[in-house]
Amino acid sequence: MGRVYVPVGCWEYGRGRVYGYPQVRLKLINLLGEELELELPVDTGFEGSLLLDRETYEFFAVGELPREAWRTHRTLAGPLPMRAARAVAVIGGEKREVLVETPVYGLGKRLVGRELLNSLTLVLDGPRGLSCLAEPTGGS
């Protein structure tokens, strides 16, 4: 009935105006093998893997997909077309191929979305202000 998780890495919540917010620290590698370490807010409202501001995205533009492979995400303001590039994310020592995206129009922002979050076991410990990458132990 209960689940037990063992944290393998924890990060302090970021400072918000009123409340802190969960974030994940990861290393991103572009197709040239160059590395960039980032702490990104967790956002379950974004369907993609990683949303980046335009300036940070340019680091990954070497792996940009052809325009016909770019995605469009739905927002409250309407459809938002995105540029997309391949990258490798290293989280808790594990490598995963991901897509990094930035809006075609506008400056964008940095965050981790559901596509990547759904591949992680992430425990949000609000009272302690920690987000922890975890591994399940025995139990169901």
Side-chain angles (χ1 to χ4, degrees):
M1 205 178 238
R3 290 187 176 94
V4 178
Y5 297 98
V6 175
V8 292
C10 293
W11 309 282
E12 290 185 12
Y13 275 23
R15 293 184 83 118
R17 288 188 195 140
V18 178
Y19 298 106
Y21 55 87
Q23 54 187 5
V24 173
R25 184 177 302 136
L26 50 81
K27 183 187 322 182
L28 290 172
I29 305 168
N30 68 16
L31 292 188
L32 295 176
E34 301 166 325
E35 299 178 356
L36 183 64
E37 289 201 31
L38 297 171
E39 279 189 349
L40 302 170
V42 170
D43 186 342
T44 59
F46 175 61
E47 193 171 15
S49 286
L50 297 165
L51 180 62
L52 299 176
D53 57 89
R54 182 173 304 281
E55 184 178 338
T56 305
Y57 177 85
E58 290 305 322
F59 183 79
F60 301 96
V62 65
E64 189 165 76
L65 300 177
R67 189 176 195 94
E68 56 272 7
W70 294 357
R71 301 191 276 194
T72 298
H73 295 286
R74 281 191 275 208
T75 70
L76 292 174
L80 183 61
M82 300 284 204
R83 294 171 63 190
R86 292 177 50 216
V88 173
V90 182
I91 307 170
E94 286 191 37
K95 291 183 177 182
R96 308 175 155 74
E97 188 168 330
V98 295
L99 285 182
V100 295
E101 298 179 88
T102 197
V104 172
Y105 309 105
L107 300 176
K109 60 195 269 183
R110 295 178 175 185
L111 52 86
V112 176
R114 290 193 314 261
E115 188 171 38
L116 181 55
L117 291 171
N118 286 340
S119 72
L120 305 173
T121 300
L122 190 65
V123 176
L124 304 182
D125 185 345
R128 290 190 177 100
L130 295 172
S131 25
C132 297
L133 186 62
E135 291 180 349
T137 63
S140 44

